[in-house]
Amino acid sequence: MSPRLNPSPETLFTRGWQDYALLDSGNGLKLERYGRFTVVRPEPQCFWSPRDPAAFERADATFAPQAQDEDDDGRWRFAGKPVETFPLAWRDVRFTGRFTPFRHLAFFPEQAANWEWLDARVRTLKRPKVLNLFGYTGVASLACSAAGAEVTHVDASKKSVAYARENAEQSGLADRPIRWIVEDCRKYVAREVRRGVKYDGIILDPPKYGRGPTGEVWRLFEDLPGLLKDCAALLSDDASFLLLNAYAARISGLSLAHMMAEATADRGGVIDWGELALAEHGNDGRAIGLSFFARWSKDGGNGQ
């Protein structure tokens, strides 16, 4: 039986928490709070005017890209003494924020909407096996682990997996059943399919472009359809979810939803789809759409 595709998109808003808030945005920039630091980063989608332009000038750190290309690297300019790392938390998960040379701070705050959904779903299950592909620094893995899952975390970057393990230590989750795998995600999934391994939930959050540990090249538009089908093959008979998230200007939630429907054509269930957005703290609904998602679930529960 084919899954039911919800006819309307959904926007999932991250409205901030104790250690993060989107304070203001405009003129191609966003002003955010990460722990005790205020940070300015480029955001080309912010065509509007900021509410408090002077606040951007008072920020603790500002990212200056080398070029106008939003994917280009650059450097941070600090108002005071330069900072490399600082502690952050989301619910039971403790992790390290990092001023990286690629404008982000070693996690993506808009993903908190997905973390909430994953946390709620995992807590309804009895020690599910969850696979997190392109797991990066591990906040989603640790959110699932804290909720009671056995987690397999896979990323091609040895450094990212090392950071994820450090975050597990900080969270008091190092003794939980988490497997840390440094490998090309396509190779890992293909091997699991051959072995007949099954998972109760899968998280798939690929980049637009990337390289594996031995030079493998990942291109989202060429490689995602095949990987998503292999992920669907790894779902157990009573699996709970398959969550797909993507950042790319040429993609949409609807295109991800149709790809998901094809991959899960014989599983029934429901596919929700839409956009992840950061909402400005304390303001009247202004928000920035930052990524798209499609998620298959067994029962269609939104978990929120």
Side-chain angles (χ1 to χ4, degrees), residues 129 197-202 228-243 260 263-264 267 296:
K129 290 179 60 179
V197 178
K198 299 295 181 181
Y199 294 90
D200 303 305
I202 298 175
L228 185 60
K229 288 181 180 178
D230 280 350
C231 286
L234 291 180
L235 293 171
S236 62
D237 290 341
D238 58 351
S240 178
F241 64 87
L242 172 53
L243 170 62
M260 181 73 76
T264 60
R267 301 197 66 92
W296 171 87

Side-chain angles (χ1 to χ4, degrees), residues 44-297:
Q45 294 190 70
C46 299
F47 298 107
W48 50 83
S49 299
R51 302 177 192 273
D52 183 6
F56 289 72
E57 301 299 323
R58 299 191 297 267
D60 297 305
T62 299
F63 185 82
Q66 289 184 351
Q68 293 301 312
D69 184 347
E70 65 173 307
D71 293 326
D72 212 5
D73 59 1
R75 64 188 182 91
W76 289 95
R77 296 173 179 163
F78 294 91
K81 183 179 179 181
V83 176
E84 293 184 2
T85 64
F86 52 96
L88 293 170
W90 181 84
R91 295 189 180 177
D92 295 329
V93 178
R94 304 289 183 269
F95 56 101
T96 297
R98 301 175 186 274
F99 285 101
T100 77
F102 302 102
R103 87 182 54 228
H104 52 76
L105 286 92
F107 80 107
F108 298 95
E110 66 276 7
Q111 288 297 319
N114 276 334
W115 304 339
E116 290 177 7
W117 187 81
L118 290 165
D119 176 89
R121 291 203 71 87
V122 169
R123 290 183 188 279
T124 68
L125 307 172
K126 186 176 181 180
R127 200 166 183 172
K129 290 179 60 179
V130 172
L131 173 64
N132 185 13
L133 298 168
F134 305 94
Y136 193 39
T137 57
V139 181
S141 293
L142 299 177
C144 290
S145 177
E150 297 181 14
V151 180
T152 299
H153 174 106
V154 185
D155 197 281
S157 167
K158 184 177 181 180
K159 180 182 290 187
S160 292
V161 173
Y163 288 159
R165 295 183 73 130
E166 290 177 12
N167 290 337
E169 291 276 357
Q170 293 178 48
S171 301
L173 298 171
D175 60 346
R176 298 290 182 93
I178 307 175
R179 297 175 63 217
W180 307 102
I181 309 292
V182 179
E183 190 170 357
D184 178 83
C185 288
R186 289 166 299 176
K187 288 185 175 180
Y188 181 82
V189 167
R191 188 169 66 251
E192 293 288 85
V193 170
R194 291 194 298 270
R195 292 174 173 173
V197 178
K198 299 295 181 181
Y199 294 90
D200 303 305
I202 298 175
I203 307 162
L204 179 56
D205 188 11
K208 184 167 60 176
Y209 177 85
R211 287 190 176 274
T214 57
E216 304 90 341
V217 176
W218 164 267
R219 294 182 176 87
L220 182 72
F221 294 98
E222 290 85 350
D223 298 322
L224 179 57
L227 178 59
L228 185 60
K229 288 181 180 178
D230 280 350
C231 286
L234 291 180
L235 293 171
S236 62
D237 290 341
D238 58 351
S240 178
F241 64 87
L242 172 53
L243 170 62
L244 170 63
N245 187 83
Y247 299 81
R250 289 167 43 219
I251 212 161
S252 70
L254 185 58
S255 65
L256 296 181
H258 286 306
M259 198 185 313
M260 181 73 76
E262 182 177 66
T264 60
D266 60 347
R267 301 197 66 92
V270 176
I271 295 172
D272 300 299
W273 58 279
E275 187 172 14
L276 295 187
L278 283 174
E280 285 187 4
H281 177 70
N283 285 324
D284 55 355
R286 194 161 70 176
I288 309 169
L290 292 173
S291 73
F292 297 98
F293 75 91
R295 57 192 189 194
W296 171 87
S297 54

